Amino acid sequence: MMHTSDSLAAELRRVRERPDADAAPPVLSLFAIDVAGDAAAYVERLRSVLAPAVRLGCTADFEQESLPVDEVPGWFAAVGSGFGGEERAPQFARAGREAYAEHTGGGRPWDLQDWLYRFDPDEDSRGWEWWDATVAGPSRVHVWVDSWGESFFGCQDLLWAAFTAGAVRVAGPTVQKAAVWSAERNSQPNP
């Protein structure tokens, strides 16, 4: 998926606030996520990680050796590799790190800089753009992304964020008609 400054700006708006029901592409990819604790708090944590990353995609000079991390939540930086602060990360993030490793068959924790560089507009391995999150139950969240209708796409970076924000289990992606998202979106308040 090619990302442009315009598409990243639109993605940042969707991370910050729910898009209009009629703005969706014909299909979206759905991740069904079971979370530990409150679903709305989980959505807020996930958005708090994605917002600075997408903002960097709009503004950062990716030719630099490292990207600024001052807007990245401290718990997210601590749970990744390379900072040695895993023990300072909250329990939900440490448990998510373990769940990510199990889900990926032993996948290693992401280095924060490597993860942030996935939001470089010239990086084509991030095969998704954030669309929305809906609360599907007390401990279930649906994360919707635009994958250009593809059922198989690069999303390990999204899975890392999803698990470390407190996911216990992630199923998907599955391609759904946008009407499914729209109906779910319209049936609940903005998480």
Side-chain angles (χ1 to χ4, degrees), residues 33-42 45 91-93 95-96 138-141 162-163 165-169:
I33 302 174
D34 294 328
V35 303
D38 180 63
Y42 171 84
R45 284 193 303 267
Q91 177 57 33
F92 69 82
S139 295
R140 164 89 30 124
V141 171
F163 275 109
V168 175
R169 188 178 81 73

Side-chain angles (χ1 to χ4, degrees), residues 44 49 92 96 119 130 138 156 178 180:
E44 189 59 37
V49 168
F92 69 82
F119 292 85
W130 175 267
Q156 292 301 310
V180 176

